[in-house]
Amino acid sequence: MTTSRPLPPFHLAIPVDDINAAREFYGKVLGFEQGRSDTRWIDWNMGGHQVVTHQVGEPGATSRDGVAGSNPVDGHQVPVPHFGLVLPVQEFQDLAARLRDAGTEFVIEPYVRFQGEPGEQWTMFFLDPAGNALEFKAFADLDQLFAT
């Protein structure tokens, strides 16, 4: 599917159990710009998209394993649900280094998925402090985003 007009930004609201941990992780570790906020929610600029962290319950109230399930993809168990961005390769590598420097534990370490096949991509999975799964990926050829 191609379009000649800019794609509209998406909005995604996710639960967190500690708004201060979310502020640290999304703002400082991931480097997202903070928008409006209140005592229990924060808007984040995620590559031009609006992601909102909403504190539900009290800190420590979630199980930290908020993943509903997983599916096998290229020999790895991919956590479901998950969300993230498709980045340029260098930004992907820079983010992976920043996550490592911050002590982030990866669910799936950064690696090249579908190597030598259509849709070859760098990918990595990790959890935020509330247990929400994120995937960031990068294609050497962005035209392969929807490869068949």
Side-chain angles (χ1 to χ4, degrees):
M1 180 173 143
T2 61
T3 180
S4 60
R5 60 185 168 84
L7 297 174
F10 69 80
H11 165 82
L12 175 67
I14 58 170
V16 299
D17 63 351
D18 185 333
I19 200 66
N20 292 322
R23 181 177 285 109
E24 176 75 19
F25 185 76
Y26 285 91
K28 293 186 179 168
V29 176
L30 294 181
F32 294 166
E33 180 183 340
Q34 182 177 319
R36 293 171 301 193
S37 66
D38 200 350
T39 57
R40 296 181 64 89
W41 59 268
I42 302 170
D43 287 346
W44 299 102
N45 180 347
M46 184 178 182
H49 304 285
Q50 184 187 52
V51 172
V52 185
T53 49
H54 285 274
Q55 181 169 325
V56 294
E58 297 305 316
T62 62
S63 65
R64 303 257 181 231
D65 63 355
V67 177
S70 65
N71 278 323
V73 178
D74 194 40
H76 292 88
Q77 287 297 319
V78 169
V80 178
H82 64 264
F83 67 98
L85 290 174
V86 178
L87 302 171
V89 173
Q90 188 58 57
E91 286 182 36
F92 175 94
Q93 299 296 349
D94 293 346
L95 176 60
R98 198 164 60 245
L99 289 164
R100 282 189 179 102
D101 290 347
T104 303
E105 292 184 36
F106 291 94
V107 174
I108 299 174
E109 292 277 339
Y111 83 105
V112 177
R113 174 193 285 166
F114 308 131
Q115 193 161 14
E117 300 176 33
E120 179 178 296
Q121 61 196 262
W122 279 94
T123 186
M124 63 180 153
F125 287 82
F126 51 92
L127 304 179
D128 75 3
N132 295 298
L134 290 94
E135 176 188 20
F136 283 74
K137 56 175 67 178
F139 291 78
D141 180 2
L142 192 56
D143 288 337
Q144 293 290 302
L145 182 64
F146 298 106
T148 57

